[in-house]
């Protein structure tokens, strides 16, 4: 039998050894699978601007960055009023206040669409709306996939892969104003496809689908019995001569989850108010509706102050505010389109709406650059202008510029881009 004091020393040594062990806690599979693909690309670029030129960022899809685009007075007053009333400081129903949902339903009821408030779920921004929709329809245990556009915003991939759901891409056609390649879309559908994501108007392309083209897409979804997630965050942000058509207006008999929000059209992305509209003409979403309610209970709803202000924002913001925003964006699009046409080796695509323009880089004319990533990095280094390379959107040899910056800065940026391209262009 060990001496008592010797045994005590052994015990103390064991405790010290245990304390000195490295203790590592493994993150969950969901956390490890979650990746921001734009940050993943941009953070690996060595972005060192030219110290002699101020940086012009044409990369951020936040219309508030430069302070030239502000929400309407009515929008601000609606929030101030709710704060002063003090009636929306507590928890709301997880799907949102009834009057706020009614306001969204009223706002979206046009072109023959009659949205019922009970079909509206309020979320914490449109990205949260998309997360709920992907999560409710797709399941990793069923080896599900979702179909997403290429080029397209990478949030769809982030949200799907983080829960173990794979993505399959369908192509958009640059020669057809970035319409969907319908044959390619249908070829990507298999028995494990849980949903088709449609983004109209499009980020990054700035394209706006016609009613006929949307009908063609939904005809495929109907024939293959696949529900649709319609990302319509840029609804109504279309330029003169164009018309936004919501999927809800087409009587397609396809069950659709429509995602939208205040962020872009009302210029308040940080207020985090999004919505889902359950559009189900055939009764296919009986269980999905109940499951969405369950998912909404994870966060107990969106920001209650903005919910409270929502009726005032949606009903009182004058059409003149929206018209002025369209004038600014379409004017900047025209300015950028004309300015970039002077840049050798670039092919700008005139957008039909949204806040973006996509530009093709004829990489064969710039043999010194191996990729659009190198092109973007070098342009930042020499001209202090940064655009998101097409690799961020699943397509190489392109870049996206934002149209929300002040006109003088946009003009200066286009001059610098043209100088850069003309300097390196090779016949």
């Amino acid at each position: 039998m060990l001496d008592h004091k010797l045994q005590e020393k052994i015990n103390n040594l064991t405790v010290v050894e245990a304390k000195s062990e490295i203790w590592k806690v493994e993150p969950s599979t969901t956390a490890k699978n979650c990746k921001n693909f734009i940050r993943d690309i941009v953070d690996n670029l060595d972005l060192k601007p030219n110290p002699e030129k101020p940086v012009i960022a044409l990369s951020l899809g936040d219309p508030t960055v430069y302070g030239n685009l502000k929400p309407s007075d009515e929008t601000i007053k609606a929030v101030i009023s709710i704060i002063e009333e003090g009636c929306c400081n507590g928890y709301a129903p997880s799907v949102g206040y009834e009057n706020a949902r009614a306001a969204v339903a009223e706002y979206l009821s046009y072109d023959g669409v009659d949205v019922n408030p009970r079909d509206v779920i309020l979320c914490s921004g449109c990205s949260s709306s998309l997360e709920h929709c992907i999560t409710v329809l797709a399941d990793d245990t069923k080896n599900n996939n979702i179909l997403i556009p290429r080029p397209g915003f990478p949030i769809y991939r982030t949200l799907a892969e983080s829960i173990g759901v794979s993505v399959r891409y369908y192509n958009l056609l640059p020669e057809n104003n970035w319409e969907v390649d319908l044959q390619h879309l249908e070829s990507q559908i298999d028995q494990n496809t849980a949903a088709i994501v449609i983004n109209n108007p499009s980020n990054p392309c700035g394209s706006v689908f016609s009613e006929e083209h949307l009908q063609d897409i939904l005809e495929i979804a109907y024939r293959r019995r696949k529900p649709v997630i319609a990302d319509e965050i840029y609804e109504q942000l279309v330029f003169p001569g164009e018309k936004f058509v919501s999927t809800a207006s087409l009587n397609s008999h396809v069950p659709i989850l429509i995602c939208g929000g205040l962020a872009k059209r009302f210029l308040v992305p940080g207020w985090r108010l999004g919505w889902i509209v359950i559009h189900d003409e055939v009764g296919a979403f009986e269980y999905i509706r109940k499951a969405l309610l369950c998912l909404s209970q994870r966060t107990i709803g969106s920001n209650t102050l903005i919910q409270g202000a929502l009726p005032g924002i949606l009903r009182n913001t004058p059409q003149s505010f929206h018209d002025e925003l369209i004038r600014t964006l379409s004017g900047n699009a025209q300015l950028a389109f004309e300015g970039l046409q002077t840049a050798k080796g670039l092919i700008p695509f005139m957008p039909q709406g949204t806040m973006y323009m996509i530009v093709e880089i004829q990489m064969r004319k710039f043999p010194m650059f191996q990729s659009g990533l190198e092109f973007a990095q070098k342009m930042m280094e020499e001209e202090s202008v940064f655009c998101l390379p097409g690799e961020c959107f699943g397509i190489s040899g392109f870049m996206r510029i934002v149209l929300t910056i002040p006109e003088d800065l946009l003009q200066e940026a286009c001059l610098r881009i043209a100088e850069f391209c003309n300097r390196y262009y090779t016949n």
Side-chain angles (χ1 to χ4, degrees):
M1 202 163 184
L2 290 175
D3 176 82
H4 176 71
K5 289 185 177 181
L6 179 59
Q7 182 66 56
E8 188 176 4
K9 286 181 180 180
I10 292 172
N11 291 342
N12 288 338
L13 283 172
T14 303
V15 170
V16 170
E17 287 174 359
K19 287 182 178 179
S20 66
E21 288 178 2
I22 297 175
W23 187 20
K24 293 183 178 179
V25 179
E26 285 295 313
S28 68
T29 301
T30 296
K32 288 190 289 186
N33 287 343
C34 190
K35 182 184 293 187
N36 182 318
F37 293 98
I38 290 181
R39 295 306 331 162
D40 192 50
I41 291 171
V42 172
D43 288 349
N44 285 315
L45 295 177
D46 186 17
L47 296 175
K48 296 177 180 177
N50 184 337
E52 297 182 0
K53 297 184 178 183
V55 172
I56 302 176
L58 298 178
S59 54
L60 295 174
D62 180 348
T64 70
V65 169
Y66 284 92
N68 57 312
L69 297 178
K70 301 179 184 295
S72 70
D73 291 341
E74 291 78 9
T75 293
I76 300 299
K77 289 175 182 176
V79 177
I80 292 174
S81 176
I82 288 299
I83 292 173
E84 290 177 341
E85 288 177 21
C87 58
C88 296
N89 295 328
Y91 292 123
S94 62
V95 293
Y97 287 129
E98 187 173 337
N99 67 332
R101 295 164 70 197
V104 172
E106 178 186 314
Y107 169 72
L108 295 176
S109 293
Y110 58 88
D111 286 348
V113 178
D114 185 15
V115 179
N116 190 310
R118 77 179 189 90
D119 293 328
V120 176
I121 296 173
L122 301 184
C123 304
S124 183
C126 190
S127 57
S128 176
S129 305
L130 290 164
E131 180 183 21
H132 284 353
C133 292
I134 291 171
T135 302
V136 81
L137 292 175
D139 193 334
D140 64 326
T141 64
K142 298 176 182 176
N143 197 30
N144 278 155
N145 62 71
I146 63 169
L147 270 54
I148 64 176
R150 180 172 54 199
F153 195 56
I155 189 69
Y156 314 126
R157 181 181 173 191
T158 297
L159 297 174
E161 291 187 351
S162 67
I163 59 171
V165 172
S166 62
V167 299
R168 307 184 78 175
Y169 295 95
Y170 63 86
N171 293 333
L172 306 182
L173 299 170
E175 65 273 20
N176 288 349
N177 285 326
W178 300 100
E179 287 187 342
V180 174
D181 182 335
L182 298 171
Q183 185 175 355
H184 188 245
L185 168 66
E186 186 154 18
S187 73
Q188 296 301 98
I189 298 173
D190 66 12
Q191 68 274 14
N192 295 324
T193 299
I196 301 169
V197 176
I198 302 173
N199 178 208
N200 176 55
S202 165
N203 176 12
C205 302
S207 54
V208 178
F209 294 158
S210 68
E211 180 176 336
E212 293 75 19
H213 188 58
L214 281 170
Q215 286 281 22
D216 289 341
I217 298 169
L218 293 175
E219 170 58 31
I220 293 172
Y222 177 75
R223 186 167 63 249
R224 301 298 295 270
R225 295 298 191 270
K226 300 299 179 184
V228 161
I229 299 171
D231 181 358
E232 297 183 357
I233 185 61
Y234 296 97
E235 54 92 20
Q236 302 290 358
L237 274 180
V238 300
F239 297 165
E242 304 294 337
K243 176 178 170 57
F244 168 71
V245 178
S246 174
T247 51
S249 68
L250 298 178
N251 300 316
S252 63
H253 302 293
V254 174
I256 305 169
L257 298 177
I258 300 171
C259 299
L262 289 182
K264 307 300 184 179
R265 194 177 186 223
F266 292 85
L267 301 176
V268 286
W271 289 9
R272 311 310 301 143
L273 197 292
W275 53 69
I276 300 168
V277 174
I278 303 170
H279 180 72
D280 182 17
E281 301 168 331
V282 294
F285 277 160
E286 177 186 353
Y287 302 121
I288 294 299
R289 185 185 295 272
K290 295 175 182 177
L292 280 171
L293 172 61
C294 293
L295 285 174
S296 72
Q297 292 169 345
R298 293 193 304 181
T299 54
I300 320 180
S302 60
N303 187 307
T304 55
L305 293 176
I306 309 305
Q307 282 191 53
L310 201 51
I313 293 171
L314 296 178
R315 291 171 183 153
N316 298 335
T317 299
Q319 185 59 42
S320 59
F321 168 82
H322 299 303
D323 293 342
E324 181 58 31
L325 177 58
I326 291 296
R327 275 194 293 271
T328 298
L329 294 174
S330 60
N332 280 1
Q334 189 63 43
L335 185 155
F337 184 73
E338 293 173 359
L340 294 177
Q341 284 184 321
T342 67
K344 294 179 180 178
L346 294 188
I347 302 175
F349 289 80
M350 183 64 183
Q352 299 164 297
T354 75
M355 301 176 166
Y356 313 105
M357 173 181 288
I358 195 164
V359 181
E360 183 177 359
I361 307 167
Q362 296 179 300
M363 295 304 300
R364 66 186 182 281
K365 300 294 186 179
F366 302 98
M368 65 292 299
F369 303 121
Q370 297 300 308
S371 67
L373 299 174
E374 287 187 15
F375 184 95
Q377 182 172 306
K378 191 67 172 176
M379 189 164 68
M380 180 64 161
E381 180 182 315
E382 294 189 4
E383 298 296 340
S384 296
V385 175
F386 184 59
C387 307
L388 283 183
E391 284 82 354
C392 293
F393 307 98
I395 186 171
S396 60
F398 289 82
M399 62 183 180
R400 187 199 75 174
I401 69 172
V402 299
L403 302 170
T404 55
I405 74 171
E407 184 179 312
D408 59 331
L409 288 181
L410 183 60
Q411 201 161 23
E412 172 66 18
C414 290
L415 286 173
R416 293 193 206 172
I417 292 171
E419 288 175 4
F420 176 81
C421 291
N422 296 344
R423 187 159 60 243
Y424 285 101
Y425 180 86
T426 302
N427 267 319

